[in-house]
Amino acid sequence: MGQETYRKLAFVASARPEAQTALAAVIAKYGNVDAAEADAIIPLGGDGFMLETLRRYLPLVQRGLPVYGMNQGTVGFLMNGFVIEGLHERLDQSTQTEVHPLKMTAQAAGGQVTDTAFNEVSLFRQSQQAAHIKISVDGRERLGKLIADGVMLSTPVGSTAYNLSAHGPVIPIGSDILALTPISAFRPRRWRGALLSGHAKVRFDVLDPVKRPVSASADNSDIRDVRSIEIEQDRETTLTLLFDEQHGLDEKILQEQFAT
């Protein structure tokens, strides 16, 4: 729980008209400071904008600057409700959720690419041809050939995003588990993925990348013509997200598991 330390706030907003209107309203009431001088960053938008904000301010967030999102988008799973009044009090009473992103190193036709993902790292077929992907975990081959539209590795935070749409499992926060989920698997037809330790190192090798090209995505950052990709949790990076008391991210994930 907070200790009445969130007084200097840095507000940022997506380009949506409602988010821009909300931005003007909160700045008029609470002022606005540069993120480097703030006690917390307050993004106004949806989950996509939250991910953009984490990327944009990653050096500050890595050093412990917390992020408290307010929903001015569509889904808003990573956001709190938008209420102008009593913001300082809400922040002081908020709960903290610490998360670790994924660290990705990809070998592509254009060279090596490194990136960070907060939700998931995904591989997708780049043409009409199904992707052929070999999957290894901690240096040991686990699946010699997955024939599918693609495959993804998801964090607990991302387990309720694209992973859930692909029929992957919802993972409770704090479980230190990653979800490995196929996307429209053709062979093995009955393979539904796997739950891996948060310490696991996963490697995807693209088989026949010329005939069956594959692209990779770290959240919303895309890489074309991938040959191989290695992924592991970046345990040296801890991000702090703030949620209203009684409505933390762990509670949202639990609710999602009972959704009908």
Side-chain angles (χ1 to χ4, degrees):
M1 184 170 296
Q3 299 295 323
E4 299 189 1
T5 57
Y6 305 109
R7 290 298 175 265
K8 295 183 294 182
L9 306 178
F11 294 98
V12 292
S14 71
R16 294 171 63 112
E18 54 267 42
Q20 290 296 313
T21 299
L23 178 64
V26 294
I27 289 178
K29 185 171 182 62
Y30 298 104
N32 200 20
V33 303
D34 186 87
E37 302 173 357
D39 297 322
I41 300 177
I42 317 292
L44 308 174
D47 288 344
F49 185 69
M50 168 64 88
L51 297 179
E52 290 180 23
T53 301
L54 291 174
R55 281 180 175 273
R56 178 181 176 185
Y57 295 102
L58 185 57
L60 294 175
V61 177
Q62 285 176 317
R63 293 200 292 269
L65 183 63
V67 181
Y68 177 91
M70 291 204 289
N71 191 22
Q72 286 294 307
T74 50
V75 178
F77 187 83
L78 299 176
M79 318 299 276
N80 298 280
F82 179 76
V83 180
I84 294 181
E85 300 300 327
L87 180 55
H88 286 146
E89 291 73 20
R90 289 171 67 188
L91 286 165
D92 292 340
Q93 296 173 13
S94 64
T95 59
Q96 295 186 354
T97 295
E98 294 185 345
V99 300
H100 301 291
L102 295 174
K103 178 171 57 177
M104 176 197 77
T105 302
Q107 303 295 334
Q112 180 173 293
V113 179
T114 59
D115 209 338
T116 297
F118 305 99
N119 273 1
E120 75 279 320
V121 174
S122 307
L123 269 66
F124 304 94
R125 64 183 176 91
Q126 201 171 291
S127 69
Q128 294 181 343
Q129 298 283 348
H132 288 188
I133 301 169
K134 181 174 72 173
I135 301 175
S136 302
V137 179
D138 294 329
R140 181 177 176 182
E141 181 182 309
R142 291 294 181 178
L143 195 56
K145 181 188 291 186
L146 170 66
I147 304 176
D149 283 352
V151 64
M152 75 179 77
L153 186 69
S154 172
T155 66
V157 171
S159 69
T160 58
Y162 187 27
N163 171 75
L164 184 59
S165 299
H167 307 292
V170 176
I171 306 174
I173 291 295
S175 59
D176 200 22
I177 290 174
L178 302 175
L180 177 61
T181 304
I183 304 169
S184 300
F186 179 68
R187 290 286 188 277
R189 189 178 296 275
R190 296 191 179 186
W191 188 63
R192 295 293 181 264
L195 291 174
L196 306 177
S197 163
H199 293 267
K201 297 181 180 180
V202 179
R203 179 183 173 96
F204 299 130
D205 286 288
V206 179
L207 308 177
D208 200 357
V210 176
K211 180 180 178 181
R212 302 174 182 275
V214 170
S215 63
S217 175
D219 290 338
N220 53 5
S221 177
D222 296 325
I223 306 166
R224 303 279 289 181
D225 298 312
V226 169
R227 272 32 178 184
S228 66
I229 185 167
E230 295 181 341
I231 314 162
E232 63 182 305
Q233 208 168 29
D234 184 0
R235 308 189 71 83
E236 296 182 358
T237 297
T238 301
L239 311 178
T240 302
L241 305 182
L242 302 178
F243 293 93
D244 289 334
E245 196 174 20
Q246 308 300 325
H247 297 284
L249 189 55
D250 53 350
E251 173 63 21
K252 290 185 179 183
I253 287 179
L254 185 60
Q255 290 177 0
E256 189 66 44
Q257 293 182 83
F258 289 90
T260 57

